[in-house]
Amino acid sequence: MSGDDEQWNDSNRAFLQALMARSTLTLDEAKPLLAAIQTTYERRETIAEDITEADLNAHIAAANTRISPFDFEIRSTYHQTTRKRVYALVNSSSDPIIQLATIHTAEEISFLKRVLDAMFETYNTSRNEVMAITSMQAVRLHKAPDRGRRDTQDGAATQGSTAQGLKMIEAEKMLRTLVDEGWFETSNKGYYTLSPRALMELRGWLIETYNDVDDDDDDDGERPPRIKQCVACKEIVTVGQRCSKRSCHCRLHDICVQNFFRMQRSNGCPVCKTEWTGDSFVGERAAPRRSGAGSNANTSRITVDDPDQNNDPDEIDR
Amino acid sequence: MPLIRKRRSQQAEPSPSPPPTRRRPSPAASDASSVDGAYDGGAALDGETQGAGSSHEQMVKKLVRLALASEYSRQPIRRADITTKVMAPHTGRQFKGVFEEANHQLRSTFGCQMTELPQKEKITVSQKRAAQRSQTQNTLSSSNKSYILTSTIPPALRAPNILPPASVPTSASESAYTGLYTFILSLIYLSPGRTIPESRLEKHLKRMNADNYVLSGEKTEKVLKRMEKEGYIVKVRERDGGGEESVDYVVGPRGKAEVGEVGIAGCVRKVFGKVGMEREELEKRLVRSLGEGVEMKNRPDEGGEAEVEVQADGAGASEGEAEGGGRRRRSTRASNSTPKTPATRKRGRNAMVDEEAEGDEDEEEEEDDQGESGDE
Ligand SMILES: [Zn+2]
Ligand SMILES: [Zn+2]
């Protein structure tokens, strides 16, 4: 079973390597890529405009057949804001966080987990479903939480297993690395969000991790899941719109709204029938505005909030 | 597309398969222990629970995944890691079979293979000379062996418009880095005795305005250290009879395996791009300096030798051109996203002095406090 066959030859391998070398691929990027591969492999001039979405999909289908035994899969999703379709090679079986551990240190992974917890717990309250984090908020999580640790800070004689956290500068660097590796994206306003690729790769993990409601939780059940899916496309919503009724779990991507209500022929929430006003948001637009703060007026007065208060889990549920 | 669509909707089920690490949704629980445990053990690369975990097939699959993951972070695949992360207990004797089958799978599916890295030579005056003459490696215990992935598809299919420089781990600066080490390796390869005195290297770097900072804004000194650490180059200090210290650079094991003579020849061809008679002259000189292996007609389309064109073009990138499509987009994004970098860096340095410094006042107009009540 060696060598080339009709379905799998060096042009396919070149495509696969090209895909693995990038964190994501769009059709616009795939066109010149596949044209270059065909030109070289078939010794026949092909221009980017000749490449169709069907060509790309044929390549992807062939690749998926070959790579699935290794628990890899090329998936695609729509970017939540640009609506561009994005393809990426993702790990289909194992815990992606553990995968990341092959590249990063345990301390870096712990920091990443703290940042994810902040995105999906601390800054994802029923009032403010931000699901994003500013770099300042993230860097503040550089240290491992104190709870459960004895005073090991000073003196190098700490047990090997004790989490020390990262230095602030290391945390900043890790954030940049996560952007470079294609896990995070940054918005114009400086918020970090999960990239489409991360959402594809982490979707199972996110749902498993953050929607895992403790059965005998003190509050009377019925807590909405922290990770919610778009009623139109079923993908996770981290940027989009929400039903104006706060207790309703219905969410829609901005890019899905128009089509959805046209198809539905009414602009009521599909779950609770409340009118869909389109001005309740998920994402950085849901971040609370500082009362009365002009954009530059009192920057010098901005106080540092107490991270411990923010971490209060009770805050999450109003 | 139907295929992908279908798979995606299957994925939409909340839990396709229970991930190995479950954690309680409390921030305090996010300690590293679960990751630690799994990372050290063989489970690191396999999300499934044991069972078939020890079968030959499972080990092959794990090794393929380890190899790809390591290359992704440009870390060598260490024999010791294979032993702990891939091989089931008491299967040491199957190593060869597993390794060969994994390499076969890597070649036939992914178009690459694990190539053993030459061991780092112990370098003293005489050994250095000897090492320059022969390419032979010292025999070392097999547990020290390590490998990198090298491509087995024809170089033409790895041209930069197809395969951009690795985007991980350092993104935008990566092509500059690739360019710089290829350039430095060229200097070394083409110097007498394949050794370049530090002073001479500095002169070359100065000429391309890279003596203090390289393109990505990193300190040259630091970048050279990284090249040393990753095994592209080796820094050799020695004292001659008169007690005078000399510092030279020679080609390191990764430099040999990943770039090598063929890569250098490709780079030189790209840079000089001669035609006709001049081309012939150039080829002759290349063969004279680098050996017959680099002759165009002697180049097999496939084979163990690593990167050729890709590396060569990285050299172009170091002079300021961005690479093709996807690459360029990513670079732009990276630079857009870090306009604050210098400031952040400075802040970081201050922070080292005073870890807990609430030096955040200068953090312009951060919208913040999402966690706090925030009345609307
Ligand atoms: Zn949607
Ligand atoms: Zn509703």
Side-chain angles (χ1 to χ4, degrees), chain B residues 12-29:
Chain B
E13 303 306 313
S15 48
S17 66
T21 44
R22 304 186 88 214
R23 48 175 282 297
R24 303 279 101 185
S26 120

Side-chain angles (χ1 to χ4, degrees), chain B residues 308-326:
Chain B
V308 185
E309 307 285 17
V310 174
Q311 307 297 356
D313 254 72
S318 79
E319 271 134 45
E321 320 152 13
E323 301 283 349

Side-chain angles (χ1 to χ4, degrees), chain A residues 50-107:
Chain A
D50 293 343
I51 305 292
T52 64
E53 192 168 6
D55 295 327
L56 173 60
N57 287 319
H59 262 276
I60 288 173
N64 271 337
T65 311
R66 296 294 297 225
I67 63 179
S68 65
F70 303 100
D71 293 344
F72 291 115
E73 186 185 334
I74 301 167
R75 289 185 196 157
S76 76
T77 191
Y78 289 100
H79 192 287
Q80 289 179 94
T81 51
T82 67
R83 188 145 228 253
K84 276 248 156 80
R85 186 167 202 163
V86 191
Y87 299 83
L89 185 131
V90 301
N91 291 288
S92 54
S93 79
S94 50
D95 185 333
I97 301 292
I98 287 182
Q99 280 299 321
L100 271 164
T102 59
I103 321 174
H104 295 289
T105 66
E107 292 295 356

Side-chain angles (χ1 to χ4, degrees), chain B residues 159-160 264-274 282 309-310 312-313 315:
Chain B
I264 298 302
C267 170
V268 174
R269 283 188 194 106
K270 269 268 151 72
V271 172
F272 291 97
K274 299 272 165 71
L282 176 65
E309 307 285 17
V310 174
D313 254 72

Side-chain angles (χ1 to χ4, degrees), chain B residues 10-52:
Chain B
Q10 278 164 4
Q11 279 293 319
E13 303 306 313
S15 48
S17 66
T21 44
R22 304 186 88 214
R23 48 175 282 297
R24 303 279 101 185
S26 120
S30 57
D31 61 314
S33 58
S34 54
V35 172
D36 264 343
Y39 185 43
D40 294 339
L45 294 151
D46 183 27
E48 290 133 52
T49 37
Q50 301 305 342

Side-chain angles (χ1 to χ4, degrees), chain A residues 63-221:
Chain A
N64 271 337
T65 311
R66 296 294 297 225
I67 63 179
S68 65
F70 303 100
D71 293 344
F72 291 115
E73 186 185 334
I74 301 167
R75 289 185 196 157
S76 76
T77 191
Y78 289 100
H79 192 287
Q80 289 179 94
T81 51
T82 67
R83 188 145 228 253
K84 276 248 156 80
R85 186 167 202 163
V86 191
Y87 299 83
L89 185 131
V90 301
N91 291 288
S92 54
S93 79
S94 50
D95 185 333
I97 301 292
I98 287 182
Q99 280 299 321
L100 271 164
T102 59
I103 321 174
H104 295 289
T105 66
E107 292 295 356
E108 286 168 342
I109 298 293
S110 299
F111 170 69
L112 169 62
K113 282 184 158 186
R114 289 195 292 277
V115 172
L116 291 174
D117 285 352
M119 273 184 189
F120 295 106
E121 289 173 343
T122 317
Y123 301 123
N124 178 22
T125 65
S126 62
R127 198 185 296 255
N128 300 111
E129 216 165 282
V130 182
M131 297 186 151
I133 190 168
T134 66
S135 78
M136 190 174 88
Q137 290 162 345
V139 168
R140 217 183 280 135
L141 303 167
H142 68 108
K143 268 178 30 178
D146 263 330
R147 249 171 295 176
R149 284 209 295 139
R150 305 278 162 256
D151 22 305
T152 47
Q153 277 94 327
D154 27 25
T158 52
Q159 300 104 317
S161 64
T162 309
Q164 290 295 295
L166 298 175
K167 293 197 183 104
M168 284 171 92
I169 193 170
E170 292 168 334
E172 283 167 357
K173 186 157 176 254
M174 180 64 178
L175 288 169
R176 283 198 299 275
T177 305
L178 288 164
V179 173
D180 290 341
E181 290 179 358
W183 294 95
F184 284 3
E185 283 186 345
T186 47
S187 74
N188 291 337
K189 280 173 133 186
Y191 282 91
Y192 288 93
T193 52
L194 286 186
S195 69
R197 185 213 152 163
L199 286 169
M200 279 188 263
E201 193 137 11
L202 296 177
R203 90 173 291 152
W205 185 87
L206 287 170
I207 291 168
E208 187 69 30
T209 304
Y210 296 109
N211 289 359
D212 181 20
V213 186
D214 286 331
D215 296 333
D216 29 46
D217 215 325
D218 28 322
D219 47 337
D220 33 349

Side-chain angles (χ1 to χ4, degrees), chain A residues 243 245 248 250 269 271-274 276:
Chain A
C243 179
K245 189 172 154 194
C248 177
C250 186
C269 166
V271 176
C272 72
K273 309 297 175 215
T274 309
W276 196 271

